[in-house]
Amino acid sequence: MWSHSNASILIVQNDTPDAHATESMLLRLGYEVTASTEDAAGALLALKTRRPNIVLLDLSLGADTSLLVAKRCRKLGVLIVCTSDDPASQVGPTYGDAPMLLKPFGLEGLRLALK
């Protein structure tokens, strides 16, 4: 997929402590975090202005807002990794069959999801 030296990541997470923890792990793994936002509006703006390679998309934003961000990512060719704290959450073709990362996740789980 992407090497650490050239992958930029947008974090879309409505829980600030989770977003900070995720950003810290990404930096430890050598990724660049282009932005972190807690809602769909911020995500759509960051997709337009910062053009990340990958979006870590929290599905708990709500079905409509997460889906809106996912559709925009697919249109732009941006890879998605979905996150959720609900083990029953599933992603399908609308999310580009993105990998699902169950929260809480650690450094190794994040590394594997981005592989």
Side-chain angles (χ1 to χ4, degrees):
M1 185 182 277
W2 301 97
S3 71
H4 297 206
S5 63
N6 68 359
S8 59
I9 298 179
L10 166 63
I11 300 170
V12 184
Q13 166 61 254
N14 65 356
D15 182 275
T16 302
D18 281 355
H20 289 309
T22 300
E23 182 172 359
S24 177
M25 286 187 277
L26 288 167
L27 293 173
R28 284 181 60 197
L29 290 170
Y31 290 96
E32 174 192 352
V33 177
T34 59
S36 182
T37 184
E38 61 186 32
D39 58 26
L44 294 173
L45 180 62
L47 282 167
K48 183 178 181 179
T49 60
R50 307 223 180 172
R51 293 304 298 257
N53 304 113
I54 303 168
V55 171
L56 284 177
L57 178 59
D58 184 6
L59 296 182
S60 68
L61 296 176
D64 292 337
T65 57
S66 296
L67 191 55
L68 182 63
V69 174
K71 285 180 179 179
R72 185 56 150 164
C73 287
R74 289 190 66 207
K75 185 174 183 177
L76 295 172
V78 175
L79 298 175
I80 305 166
V81 174
C82 295
T83 66
S84 177
D85 54 7
D86 181 0
S89 292
Q90 296 184 5
V91 294
T94 305
Y95 288 89
D97 292 319
M100 171 65 77
L101 189 55
L102 191 60
K103 297 187 287 185
F105 52 84
L107 191 66
E108 184 63 13
L110 182 58
R111 185 186 69 76
L112 290 172
L114 293 169
K115 216 170 174 185

